[in-house]
Structures are given as structure tokens and as C-alpha cells.
Amino acid sequence: MSAVLQLSNVVKTYGDLRALDGIELSLPEDSYVSLLGPSGSGKTTLLRVIAGFEQPESGAIRFSGKDVSNTPPHERNIGFVFQNFALFPHLSVYDNIAFGLVNRAVDPVTDMKLLDRKVRDMISLVGLAGLEGRATTQISGGQKQRVALARTLVTEPQMVLLDEPLGALDANLRARMRSELRMIRERCGVTFLHVTGSETEALAMGDTVLVLDRARIAQQGDSDTIYNRPCSPAVARFLNCYNLFSGKMADGGFATAQGLLGFQGHPQRAADPAYAIRYDRVDIRPAGAAATADEVQIEGTFIASEYTGSAVNAFFSLDDGKVFEVEAHLSHRAPENYEPHRRYALAWKREDALVFA
Amino acid sequence: MTMTAVTEEIKTEKAAANGPSGKTLWLLAPGVLWMLLFLVLPLAMMLYVSFWTQTTFKIEPTLTLKSWITFFTSDTYLGALWTTVRIWLIVLAATVVVGYPAALFVGLFVKNKTLQTVLLVLCVIPFWTSFLIRVLAWRPMLGKEGAINMILMKIGIISQPIEVLLFSELSVIIGMTQIYCVFMVGPIAFMLGRIDPSIIEAAKDLGAGFWRIFRTIILPLSMPGVVVGAIFVSVMVLGEFATSAALSGRKVNLLGNIIVTQVGSLKWAFAAVAGVVLTILMGAVVAALLRVVDLRKEL
Amino acid sequence: MNASGIKFGLGVYTTLFLVFLYGPLVVLAILSFQTGPEGGPQFPIIEWSTYWYKHLFGLTPPSRIAPLPIDQGLGRSMLLAMMTMVVSTILGVTAAQAFRRKFTGSGVVFYLIVLGMMVPGVLVGLGMALVANTLGIERHWWGTAFVLHVVYTFPFAFLVMLAIFNRFDSSVEEASWSLGVSPARTFRKVTFPLIFPGVLSAMLFAFTLSYDEFSRTLFASGRDLTLPLAIYGTFSVEVHPNVFAFGVLTTLFSFALLSVYAVLMGLSVRRAKRIAVQEEA
């Protein structure tokens, strides 16, 4: 697969703040890419630089083989879907969708029949049939989202940037729009770059997931790699499914406030050393239970648990006050009841631990 | 996740505050150029010409202080300066006294938004009549056979018409107060409308009487409105000449009137001196008022 | 004294205040129906008539009272107000557009523009007359006076547009660019329709301020009188009820203008809420 978009060493600053600090990036053609980052990591800035709304201080942006660093936004052929949708409030749903085709600088559609066919095809693709004549103030959030998407897709951009496109929708609608977005993208065959702050959304939607941390790309890979082998403690922390211990390498393990924790294999290279164990790899046992040789075991006091339907998340307080989370999938075993303020042993296999040093 | 969006949005809003870019410069150039050529240049010219030599019918670009000396040694000019300051102070005080209670009612006591808007619109409607006509309208009101004298005589308060009502300093003050007090009412009512009613409720619950609430809460919070109103009124009254020309029968000469008559008799240098004095006076007044309140923040 | 007593007292006061504001205008309107040509500008009304309205339009037999020189002045004032309206609105929109981005020196430029509405007309008028004299430029209402009118009205248009742009969401413009629409066309098709109500208000401000302006015009226009100058000319002579009749008519004209504005405003609001499919469909 060839790259449709390449960024090399892109830097963008606001005064003293480095919003983008040497971004290196290459996105494949015809794929769904999600960009995951905590707040303030520069995700929106990155999208705005790619779209051309902001000029980076340095670095090159190559889009489908051409350097577009100095190309104005309207000549880039990159679509943009805003979080607040930014529909044209003075135009109807139909006219919002027809707007780009009629008014674009390159190759505007003047044939009314062709225009009407394209617009109506798009309206049925995104499921807005019957709402053509509505004002943008007279449709629901999900429908606005579809108009915003349809308006962009009908102009056949080579790539579409989506800035937290589901952020303004309620949870129910969000889940439905996820699969619809993927479906619509597959039918159009263009690359989507979807920015989100939600790790579940990023992992669920992206063929490729990019993780942005402190103005740099921290990791790029498929969902499985990102989830199972985060390349740094920061990525692991942001995935929200790892217990992390800071400490340093020692003989026969990793030294932390909980004592020496064992692991297998070679530690990954990272700036700040840490020991990570996934929530769902931990076994809860009565205090004082024996551990096997290939296991690591620590003790904690049970605080509370949270039922999510398919799993139960249990929270323990370790001796230094740190909160330790365990996720038990209910398909594996029936939910157990733990007593508050009782101590339990928490055990996991050495091979499941990830170590960064 | 919304938090994420908000913080990132704030960041992008804080666009780099460097010098005006090419496009901004082109957008600004026409307006700035217009103001420099047709506002700053004329004012600078006025200052320059005030040092020219005045002969009977023309001026020569030979620099001299003569016009300035004439101005500050002449009783007429100094009298006009004093009249301007006096009328300005009286009208300013009158607009506050007359306008404040009305603003208090509209801004604070009228809770119904529609009624509030209606009252404010009622205050603005007279502006749809020509300024000069509004000034002239005082003549049939105040004259010897005017409406006020007629009514007062009808109800038997006076037996002789009051002649001092028209063509006097009083008529100028009455006219100016009526014309300009709306500029005082507006900003004060605006400020009073912004007071959180719960503060006043809380003070009432603590047992404070109306006067105490007025002195400690309402008055201090409405002060910026008074100052903004004072700026409007001062700027307009100091530059006045039409009201005194129409209602004083040439008895009241403001600096504005001096400029008009000097220009009429082609005494450009004297007119320029009076203009510069007026500019300095106004600059000082506005600067003093702006020290009290930041105009850009309050608007 | 209790609060409701104070409220009542202030209500009565405000009523009196409105009487103070309107009294002279009401008296003026009544006296405009004085009989003529012998009836003067004072009470009592000898006989109700529309003589002075006819007098304004030259429909009465010649008398010792000269007709107001308004016919040409009216045309000039309208044209001048139109020119001022167009130019100051364009300047106001472009300057406010520039202020959407932060730049160093914006404070200085802001005060330079606002200065235009603060400096009294006599001062800029005098300054302009001096500049024109020195440079040997002839003074005309359509030249030297016109530029001063714009100096006066441009700041109002600028402030109105500044307030409009403050509430404007620029992502709709970015959305338009990302659809391949050039910035110029985006301004025409997206920005302008959305700021149109503001532009209309700026135009209204500029027109009425210019139409009524006389202190700048007094020094900066040449021999040809504009309407306010014609009225100003009556200050030094005896006033007749024809001026009052004229006042009533100009007020009615202002209200007509205001109604046009209200209708246009209503239309643009309705257009924004419009449901029908557009003409292209």
C-alpha cells in the first residue's frame, strides 16, 4: 500500500507552546486511521495543519505525491468534518451538500441534472432521504453529523479528516455512527483520519491507530499491537487498561514500591522506566495464597467494584496508597463478591508483564 | 471528551500575536489611510496654522505666537473658554441628575424585559428627528409666548411671562440637557441591568434598607456607566455651537461659536488657536475620565 | 420608605422624564398646523391648517416668507448619505475583518478609528478647511465634506461589525475552504450572508448619521447647501412654522427608513430559517 499522506518533522508553536514537535507520519491509502491523544496533545492542531488552516513553522507535508506545505486549504482536496459540524446555517440540508460541488474553484458542477444526481446519491448513501428541504436547525445531532459527512464526501476528496466527529453525539448514537462511518468509508474508498480522545473509539475504528503524546507521534500500528504491546508507559497509561508501577531495573526483576516484580524477556526501551500489567491479566485470590514459580504476587485491600455488563472492574488499594485495577470478564467466570477492607492477593504471570527501561 | 475539545480549541484560538500579516495589512490599509489623511492630517494642520501670521483677510505661513497671545489676552476669548467650561460642567451635572433616576427605574426596577426594551426605545426615538429640528423645537416651548409660559399663566402660578426662559444661558442648558441626557441614561441603565439581582436580595435578607443598598451596592456598580455617559456627554457638549446659536440669541458664546464666527470672517489663525485650545481641553477631560474606567473593557 | 414606594416614585419620575424628552417635539408638531402666512410659531393656534406643509412644496401663493431652500438640499443630502453609507460600510467590514486576527498595534489602530467619532465636527471641519485652503483644493459637499462624513460614520460601522464578528463561528468558513471553495467565493457565499444583518445595521447607522450631520459639513462644503445646512441657516433669522412642518416630515421619513430596515431585517432572518428547497433544486 502506498502512502497518501506523509509528514516529516512538522513543527508548530504557539508562542512558547510547542503544539507539534517534529511530527513524522505516513498514512496508507484506502484505510481508516484513528488518531488517539489525550487533551492538549496537539491532535486538533495536527488536523488543522494537514488541512492547511494553520501554517507549520517547519517541516514538509506531502499529499498524494505532491508537496502541499504552501498550498491553500481549498486547493488541497482534503475534506474536513468538524466536531461542531459547522453546517452552513443559511442553507438547507440539500444546499449544504450541493455547496462544494457548485462553488468549488476547480471543476464546479454546472450541469443541474448531474448535480442533482450526485447530491441525491449521497443523501441516500448517508441515509438522509426525506430531509433535503429541512433547515440545519431543524434536524437532530446525528442527522447534522451525516450532513457534515455527506457535504464533504460528495466532493470526492482524496482524504477526509474528522475532528472528534462523534464527540457531540450521545452514547447510543455514538455506537451506531461508529459502524456507519466505517461502512461509508469502505464504500467511498478514501482514507479517513479520525481524531478522538477515546481509546475504545480509536481501537474499535482504526485499521491503523496513531497515538499522539506530548506533541509527538508516540506509536503507530494496528489496534492489536497498540493494545497488547504499547511502546511506552505513556501510551500504556493512555490506553486505560494497564496498571503501571514506576521504579528501576534490578537483579532478577524490576524494583518498585511493591518490591521486586519479576518478568520474562527483554524490557522495551523507554525514557521513563515502568512496569505494566493489563487489568484483565490479574487473578484475585484470598490473602496468603501460594503463588507458582512463574507468577508475581502482591497484596492489596479491596475498595469497590464496578459492574459494566460484560465485565467487573475491581479496585484495590496497595500499601503505598496506589489504586490497582482488575478486570474480570464475565464470560470466563461468574462474578465474585469481595469484602470491602479485606486484603487479597493479586497475582499474574511473569510473561504477561511489560517492562519499559 | 468534550473537555479535550474545549482546551484544544482555546489553544488554537490563541493565534500567534505577531505583526499584521500581508492579508491583514491590506484589509486595514484603506481605513487607516483614510483616518490619517482626513482626520489626523486636518488636526495637525489646525495646530500648524495656529502659529501662522494673521493679516486682515488672509494668513501667511510665517510662524508666530501672535494669535496665541491675542487669544490669552482677549476678554472675549477667555470669556468663551470660561463659558464653555461652565456650561459643560452644568450640563454634565444636569444630565446625571436628570438621567440617573430614569436609568435606575429602567435598568433595575423594571423586571419585564419587553417593558425595559420599550422604555429604552422610547428614549432613542427622538434621535430620528434631525438634531437641528430638536434644538429649534425649544423655541416655541420656552419663548415669551411659548408653551411653558402659557401653561404657567393659565394655572395662575405667574402673572407675567418669564422672559429669562429663552435667549439666555438657561435655555442653552435646558436644551443641551434634553438632547444629551439619553447618552447618560443608556450606559447607566446598561450597567444597572448587569447587576445580579441575587446580590440585592442577599443584602435585603441581611436587613439592609434601600438607601444603604443604594449607597453600598447600586451606586458603586453603576459608576462605570456614569463615567462612560460622562465621556459621551462631555465630548458632545464641548464641541457644541448649534444649540447656543439657536437658543441663546448670541448671548452665549462657546469656543465652538468663536471658531464659527472667526472662520466666517476669514480669521483662520484665530479659529485654529481656539480649535487647538478646545482639543486640549477635551483631550484632558477624556483622558481624566478614561483613567477612571477602561472604555474598551466596558463596551 | 419601602421598595414599592420607591418604585412608584421612580415610575412617575420616568414618565415625567419622557414628557421632557417628547414635549418640545409634540409642541413643534402641533404648531406646524398653524394657519399661514400670518400665523406665527407660537400659541394659540389661530386656525388649524396645512398651509405650512403646502408652503414647503411651493404650493402656496408667494408671500413675504421665503420658501425653505430644501429641494436641492434634500437631493444632495440623500446622495451624500448614500455615498457615505457605502464607503463607510465597506471600510467598516474590511477593518473589522482584519481585527479577527490578533496583531501587534491593534490597540493603536482601534483608537485611531474610534477617534473619528469622538473628535467634534467643528475641529475636523476647521482642520479640513485649512488643509483644503493650503493645498488649493476647492471645497465641495461631495468632496471634502464627504470624506469627513466617512471619518465620522466609519467608526460606527466598524464597531457594529466588530461585535458581529465576535460572535461569528469561523469554522463554517474553514468548512467551505476544505470543500474546495476559494476564500473570495467563501466570503461571498458563506461569510457575507451570515453577517448581512450586521452590515444592514452598519448601513443604517452610517446613513442616518450622515444625513443629519452638519458641523463637519458647515466648514468643509462649498457654496451648495445640504439639508441640515439649510435648516441651520434659519437659526439666525425669524423662525416660521414651515421649519416645524419640515421637522415633522423628516421625522416621518426617518420612520419610513426604519421600517424599511425592519422589513429587510425580518426578511433576512426569515431567509435564514427558510424551509423551502432552494432555486437550484
Side-chain angles (χ1 to χ4, degrees), chain B:
Chain B
M1 289 314 109
T2 18
M3 273 297 291
T4 318
V6 169
T7 42
E8 290 210 329
E9 229 158 55
I10 290 167
K11 216 167 57 198
T12 38
E13 282 300 312
K14 269 192 214 154
N18 37 32
S21 68
K23 206 175 134 204
T24 309
L25 221 55
W26 279 111
L27 287 171
L28 280 179
V32 169
L33 215 61
W34 196 286
M35 287 318 218
L36 288 177
L37 274 181
F38 306 131
L39 175 64
V40 178
L41 178 68
L43 292 179
M45 192 69 198
M46 185 173 71
L47 178 63
Y48 183 40
V49 169
S50 73
F51 293 104
W52 285 14
T53 307
Q54 177 80 54
T55 59
T56 319
F57 289 118
K58 49 180 209 207
I59 37 170
E60 283 158 10
T62 320
L63 297 187
T64 170
L65 279 175
K66 235 181 110 211
S67 307
W68 281 91
I69 293 164
T70 314
F71 184 93
F72 281 105
T73 50
S74 143
D75 285 342
T76 323
Y77 296 147
L78 286 179
L81 179 58
W82 166 232
T83 310
T84 308
V85 172
R86 192 177 60 233
I87 298 252
W88 161 61
L89 284 173
I90 295 173
V91 171
L92 187 60
T95 51
V96 176
V97 170
V98 171
Y100 199 101
L104 194 61
F105 182 71
V106 175
L108 204 65
F109 282 86
V110 177
K111 298 281 195 285
N112 183 333
K113 282 279 164 221
T114 322
L115 183 60
Q116 204 172 38
T117 314
V118 166
L119 284 171
L120 283 175
V121 168
L122 275 177
C123 289
V124 177
I125 283 178
F127 285 85
W128 291 86
T129 306
S130 161
F131 169 79
L132 294 165
I133 300 279
R134 275 182 289 141
V135 173
L136 271 185
W138 277 105
R139 283 212 199 165
M141 274 297 271
L142 299 173
K144 210 168 123 188
E145 296 163 305
I148 290 179
N149 272 328
M150 211 181 63
I151 292 169
L152 290 181
M153 271 163 52
K154 268 249 171 75
I155 52 179
I157 294 179
I158 50 170
S159 54
Q160 288 290 312
I162 311 169
E163 288 195 28
V164 74
L165 274 181
L166 188 59
F167 299 132
S168 64
E169 200 169 303
L170 180 65
S171 56
V172 175
I173 289 166
I174 292 176
M176 284 189 180
T177 305
Q178 185 239 8
I179 287 166
Y180 297 120
C181 66
V182 172
F183 292 96
M184 191 59 90
V185 173
I188 298 176
F190 177 71
M191 282 294 159
L192 289 172
R194 290 210 308 201
I195 296 179
D196 184 354
S198 62
I199 299 178
I200 295 172
E201 282 305 316
K204 266 187 203 156
D205 289 347
L206 294 173
F210 177 78
W211 290 113
R212 200 179 151 82
I213 294 174
F214 181 77
R215 260 203 347 267
T216 53
I217 300 172
I218 299 173
L219 195 60
L221 286 176
S222 66
M223 270 328 267
V226 175
V227 175
V228 170
I231 292 175
F232 287 152
V233 172
S234 302
V235 165
M236 284 180 286
V237 169
L238 288 172
E240 257 277 20
F241 63 91
T243 309
S244 49
L247 298 180
S248 80
R250 294 177 185 263
K251 287 202 194 89
V252 175
N253 275 312
L254 303 176
L255 278 177
N257 299 93
I258 296 287
I259 295 174
V260 174
T261 43
Q262 294 297 328
V263 169
S265 51
L266 299 179
K267 299 264 195 291
W268 293 103
F270 290 136
V273 171
V276 174
V277 171
L278 184 54
T279 311
I280 293 169
L281 176 62
M282 223 169 60
V285 169
V286 173
L289 287 170
L290 279 178
R291 286 196 83 111
V292 188
V293 62
D294 184 353
L295 193 60
R296 226 180 146 181
K297 211 167 68 192
E298 298 301 341
L299 290 178

Side-chain angles (χ1 to χ4, degrees), chain A residues 6-147:
Chain A
Q6 274 180 304
L7 267 66
S8 46
N9 196 27
V10 169
V11 176
K12 172 78 193 165
T13 58
Y14 293 116
D16 293 336
L17 185 77
R18 288 209 137 197
L20 300 177
D21 190 6
I23 296 280
E24 301 280 347
L25 176 63
S26 171
L27 298 187
E29 257 176 10
D30 191 9
S31 66
Y32 206 119
V33 182
S34 44
L35 175 65
L36 173 67
S39 77
S41 61
K43 334 187 267 289
T44 299
T45 308
L46 179 57
L47 277 204
R48 294 177 61 82
V49 164
I50 295 172
F53 301 151
E54 308 272 346
Q55 275 297 318
E57 267 79 44
S58 65
I61 304 167
R62 291 182 70 78
F63 182 64
S64 61
K66 293 189 302 273
D67 183 7
V68 294
S69 306
N70 293 312
T71 310
H74 70 281
E75 289 169 11
R76 290 196 183 191
N77 203 14
I78 298 178
F80 200 113
V81 177
F82 290 82
Q83 185 181 15
N84 65 357
F85 313 133
L87 301 182
F88 306 124
H90 58 304
L91 299 179
S92 66
V93 167
Y94 184 97
D95 292 330
N96 259 280
I97 297 169
F99 184 85
L101 289 178
V102 175
N103 292 298
R104 66 186 173 194
V106 180
D107 189 26
V109 177
T110 48
D111 177 0
M112 282 303 140
K113 275 199 191 127
L114 180 66
L115 173 75
D116 194 50
R117 212 189 64 225
K118 283 186 176 227
V119 172
R120 295 203 184 274
D121 282 353
M122 186 49 67
I123 284 175
S124 58
L125 175 71
V126 296
L128 283 171
L131 300 175
E132 291 89 344
R134 292 272 188 96
T136 55
T137 45
Q138 294 174 314
I139 54 177
S140 69
Q143 289 164 341
K144 284 182 188 167
Q145 164 75 68
R146 285 159 214 255
V147 176

Side-chain angles (χ1 to χ4, degrees), chain A residues 14-305:
Chain A
Y14 293 116
D16 293 336
L17 185 77
R18 288 209 137 197
L20 300 177
D21 190 6
I23 296 280
E24 301 280 347
L25 176 63
S26 171
L27 298 187
E29 257 176 10
D30 191 9
S31 66
Y32 206 119
V33 182
S34 44
L35 175 65
L36 173 67
S39 77
S41 61
K43 334 187 267 289
T44 299
T45 308
L46 179 57
L47 277 204
R48 294 177 61 82
V49 164
I50 295 172
F53 301 151
E54 308 272 346
Q55 275 297 318
E57 267 79 44
S58 65
I61 304 167
R62 291 182 70 78
F63 182 64
S64 61
K66 293 189 302 273
D67 183 7
V68 294
S69 306
N70 293 312
T71 310
H74 70 281
E75 289 169 11
R76 290 196 183 191
N77 203 14
I78 298 178
F80 200 113
V81 177
F82 290 82
Q83 185 181 15
N84 65 357
F85 313 133
L87 301 182
F88 306 124
H90 58 304
L91 299 179
S92 66
V93 167
Y94 184 97
D95 292 330
N96 259 280
I97 297 169
F99 184 85
L101 289 178
V102 175
N103 292 298
R104 66 186 173 194
V106 180
D107 189 26
V109 177
T110 48
D111 177 0
M112 282 303 140
K113 275 199 191 127
L114 180 66
L115 173 75
D116 194 50
R117 212 189 64 225
K118 283 186 176 227
V119 172
R120 295 203 184 274
D121 282 353
M122 186 49 67
I123 284 175
S124 58
L125 175 71
V126 296
L128 283 171
L131 300 175
E132 291 89 344
R134 292 272 188 96
T136 55
T137 45
Q138 294 174 314
I139 54 177
S140 69
Q143 289 164 341
K144 284 182 188 167
Q145 164 75 68
R146 285 159 214 255
V147 176
L149 198 63
R151 175 178 75 177
T152 303
L153 290 177
V154 79
T155 61
E156 293 163 24
Q158 280 168 280
M159 182 176 167
V160 179
L161 309 173
L162 303 103
D163 185 8
E164 309 225 15
L166 307 179
L169 306 180
D170 59 50
N172 238 333
L173 202 54
R174 203 150 49 209
R176 227 177 61 215
M177 284 307 290
R178 273 190 200 170
S179 55
E180 273 194 51
L181 273 178
R182 279 190 67 91
M183 225 165 59
I184 290 168
R185 192 210 68 76
E186 268 159 36
R187 269 187 252 168
C188 298
V190 296
T191 295
F192 272 28
L193 177 57
H194 175 137
V195 154
T196 175
S198 150
E199 65 283 353
T200 43
E201 195 174 302
L203 295 171
M205 304 203 65
D207 302 322
T208 305
V209 180
L210 292 167
V211 183
L212 198 63
D213 179 49
R214 274 170 292 174
R216 285 167 180 276
I217 300 286
Q219 191 170 6
Q220 172 166 6
D222 55 46
S223 301
D224 190 53
T225 313
I226 300 276
Y227 191 72
N228 289 313
R229 304 219 67 86
C231 71
S232 73
V235 175
R237 182 174 301 117
F238 194 58
L239 287 171
N240 214 12
C241 63
Y242 282 91
N243 290 300
L244 285 160
F245 299 96
S246 56
K248 59 173 191 284
M249 290 297 293
D251 270 347
F254 191 85
T256 71
Q258 310 303 321
L260 204 61
L261 303 178
F263 64 95
Q264 263 176 9
H266 292 289
Q268 298 186 58
R269 297 184 65 81
D272 46 337
Y275 182 99
I277 182 69
R278 243 166 70 179
Y279 296 165
D280 58 351
R281 297 284 192 223
V282 182
D283 199 25
I284 305 165
R285 299 164 184 172
T292 56
D294 64 341
E295 282 182 335
V296 181
Q297 184 167 309
I298 59 173
E299 279 193 6
T301 310
F302 178 72
I303 311 167
S305 60

